[in-house]
Amino acid sequence: MTCHLRVLGCSGGIGADLRTTSLLLNDHILIDAGTGVGDLSLDELRKIDQVFLTHSHLDHICSLPLMADAVGGSRDKPLKVYGIYETIHALQEHIFNNVIWPDFTKIPDAKNPFISLHLIEVNEPLKLGKITITALPVDHSIAANAYAISSTTGTLVFSGDTGVSDAFWKAVNQQKQLKHLIIETSFLDQEEVLAVISGHLCPSLLMSELDKLDPKACHPEMQIWVCHLKPDGGDAIMQEIDHHANTLAIKPQKLTRGTILSL
Ligand SMILES: [Zn+2]
Ligand SMILES: [Zn+2]
C-alpha cells in the first residue's frame, strides 16, 4: 500500500461522536485540522510534519493552534503549514497573533519555530516523496481550495467546502485514475437557498455537479464519498442523496470517521 488516508473527522459540525474535517495521509501529512485531530495520541501528533489547509474556517483549522502547542516543543523541526494566500494570511492575522494564540511562527525563536507557514498556488503540484499534492479551485463563501492527492497507483480528490463550481470539475476532470472522490454535501434540499449563499451543496446540487464528472478521469472502481453533512441533517441528507442517486452509475456513500482509503 503506497498511500493511505485515514479519516479522523468528516462532519460539518460537532456533537457526540462527530468530528470536523481532518484527514491523515500516511501518518505524517494532515489535510485540514478539524476536531478529529484531538483523538490522536501525542506520538501520532508528533509524527505529523505537514498540514495542508483547504481554508481558514474554524471547523477546518481549530486543532492547529492546539496541536502546535501540544507537540511543538518536542519536535526537532517546525510543523509546516500550507495553504493559499488568503488562508495563510488569515492564520497570521487572526489566530497566531499573540491575542487568540501565541505566534508560534516565532516561538521559541524565528529561526526554529514550532510552525512555519507556506504558500501554495492553485493548480501547481507539490511533490512530497512519492506523493503529489495539488490545490484545486473551488467556490466557497471565502477563498478556499480542494486537494488532489496522487501516487503512482491512483488519485484521490477531496473537495473541502464548495458550492457549485465549474472550475473544480474542470480540474477534477484533468486527473488520471481517480479512485476516490470525497465531496461535501452540507445541507438538505429544503435548505438549498442557505447552501447557495454559504457556498455549500445540497443533494440536488450534488447530483447536478456529479453530472460534470468526466468518466475518462475515473478509475473503473472509483468510489464517491460524501462528507461535511451538518449534524442535524446527517441521515436525512444521505436519504435524499440515495433517492436522487438511483440512476447514477456510482452511488455516493457516506464517509465516516475511522475509514481508511487506499490509493
Ligand atoms: Zn467553510
Ligand atoms: Zn467546513
Side-chain angles (χ1 to χ4, degrees):
M1 186 157 54
T2 56
C3 189
H4 55 97
L5 188 86
R6 177 176 157 201
V7 179
L8 307 178
C10 55
S11 172
I14 59 164
D17 58 347
L18 301 177
R19 306 285 186 274
T20 70
T21 310
S22 30
L23 309 168
L24 186 60
L25 182 63
N26 288 358
D27 301 326
H28 60 93
I29 300 171
L30 189 64
I31 313 289
D32 276 346
T35 63
V37 174
D39 293 325
L40 294 175
S41 68
L42 279 174
D43 277 345
E44 287 173 317
L45 287 172
R46 215 171 276 123
K47 280 184 192 153
I48 296 170
D49 289 323
Q50 282 118 355
V51 182
F52 287 81
L53 299 172
T54 58
H55 64 306
S56 59
H57 274 159
L58 196 63
D59 54 323
H60 300 254
I61 63 154
C62 59
S63 289
L64 177 64
L66 298 168
M67 172 184 173
D69 184 41
V71 297
S74 58
R75 284 173 47 82
D76 56 8
K77 54 189 173 189
L79 173 67
K80 291 182 167 181
V81 180
Y82 295 83
I84 55 173
Y85 171 80
E86 291 86 347
T87 305
I88 295 299
H89 182 70
L91 289 179
Q92 286 172 318
E93 194 79 5
H94 302 296
I95 303 291
F96 298 105
N97 60 3
N98 291 319
V99 178
I100 296 294
W101 207 239
D103 182 3
F104 281 128
T105 66
K106 295 190 174 65
I107 294 173
D109 61 74
K111 274 194 178 154
N112 194 29
F114 284 8
I115 65 166
S116 56
L117 302 176
H118 303 266
L119 293 178
I120 50 167
E121 300 282 342
V122 166
N123 288 328
E124 285 191 9
L126 187 68
K127 231 175 157 20
L128 297 168
K130 289 181 177 163
I131 297 170
T132 302
I133 299 184
T134 312
L136 308 182
V138 296
D139 283 300
H140 189 38
S141 56
I142 62 167
N145 60 274
Y147 283 109
I149 299 160
S150 298
S151 73
T152 50
T153 50
T155 297
L156 177 150
V157 167
F158 166 53
S159 73
D161 289 5
T162 189
V164 170
S165 172
D166 288 342
F168 171 65
W169 293 100
K170 190 178 168 203
V172 170
N173 288 337
Q174 285 164 2
Q175 305 302 314
K176 292 184 180 72
Q177 295 289 307
L178 184 57
K179 281 190 173 171
H180 298 283
L181 172 64
I182 305 176
I183 176 98
E184 76 124 274
T185 306
S186 298
F187 291 105
L188 290 160
D189 274 340
Q190 67 192 35
E191 300 167 311
E192 181 172 338
V193 172
L194 186 57
V196 169
I197 58 172
S198 60
H200 287 293
L201 296 173
C202 62
S204 58
L205 291 176
L206 173 69
M207 291 307 127
S208 50
E209 290 299 277
L210 286 174
D211 269 349
K212 301 174 186 170
L213 178 63
D214 184 348
K216 287 197 218 75
C218 304
H219 185 275
E221 288 165 22
M222 187 189 82
Q223 291 179 292
I224 299 173
W225 303 93
V226 180
C227 69
H228 209 274
L229 295 93
K230 290 289 180 187
D232 53 359
D235 288 343
I237 294 171
M238 279 318 295
Q239 281 166 14
E240 288 188 351
I241 290 172
D242 286 349
H243 176 72
H244 286 297
N246 276 339
T247 54
L248 285 182
I250 304 166
K251 192 175 154 196
Q253 307 170 65
K254 182 182 177 183
L255 190 65
T256 52
R257 182 161 69 95
T259 299
I260 295 176
L261 303 178
S262 302
L263 284 183

